Amino acid sequence: MMTIKLDFSKLNGLLPAVVQDDETGEVLMLAFMNEEAWESTLATGKATYYSRSRKKLWIKGETSGHVQMVREIRIDCDNDTVLLKVKQVGGAACHTGYQSCFHKKIEDGAIRISGEKVFNPEEVYQK
């Protein structure tokens, strides 16, 4: 077995993390991890990211309860991108209430929303 050594040098200490539903294969979101988020994810089994807007660690679901339990981790050939296959608790990965952050689809030159909201973000986040 190989030692896990990721390359955090290319994006100012961050790695892209593609997040996929482990049962359906649907891409749920793209986030970023710094080394601390990576270590936390490995230690807890809960997907942890680095929020570029808040400039701090972010455990997915800490506010909404929609945590991501990591089922499998894959690393790309350059050791600079992570694929997390997760069990999405609560049915929604997107902070706007949709199952996937990729709920906007281009059709005939226009954006179409695919899917239904799983939750109301105004109620969950109380903004």
Side-chain angles (χ1 to χ4, degrees):
M1 190 175 294
M2 298 174 64
T3 304
I4 303 169
K5 183 67 178 144
L6 299 181
D7 183 357
F8 288 94
S9 69
K10 295 178 183 170
L11 293 173
N12 297 318
L14 300 178
L15 295 180
V18 178
V19 185
Q20 187 177 34
D21 184 289
D22 74 321
E23 291 182 10
T24 67
E26 180 176 15
V27 175
L28 299 176
M29 57 184 272
L30 171 72
F32 291 87
M33 293 179 142
N34 63 6
E35 200 160 356
E36 187 180 1
W38 168 248
E39 295 296 334
S40 177
T41 298
L42 292 177
T44 66
K46 291 181 182 177
T48 305
Y49 307 107
Y50 180 78
S51 170
R52 295 174 300 161
S53 59
R54 292 177 273 179
K55 298 189 180 356
K56 68 175 195 163
L57 281 191
W58 156 47
I59 301 168
K60 178 68 177 156
E62 65 188 337
T63 303
S64 67
H66 300 153
V67 297
Q68 294 175 337
M69 301 306 298
V70 177
R71 299 292 191 233
E72 183 179 329
I73 300 174
R74 294 192 179 218
I75 301 166
D76 80 328
C77 57
D78 293 323
N79 294 335
D80 64 2
T81 302
V82 174
L83 170 65
L84 300 180
K85 295 187 177 191
V86 303
K87 171 156 183 60
Q88 178 64 59
V89 177
C94 186
H95 72 281
T96 64
Y98 290 91
Q99 178 179 349
S100 169
C101 292
F102 295 96
H103 59 272
K104 297 176 184 177
K105 182 178 181 180
I106 302 295
E107 284 186 350
D108 299 321
I111 295 174
R112 182 178 71 80
I113 303 296
S114 62
E116 300 291 324
K117 283 193 176 187
V118 175
F119 69 90
N120 181 340
E122 291 176 8
E123 292 173 6
V124 170
Y125 299 111
Q126 300 177 7
K127 291 182 178 179

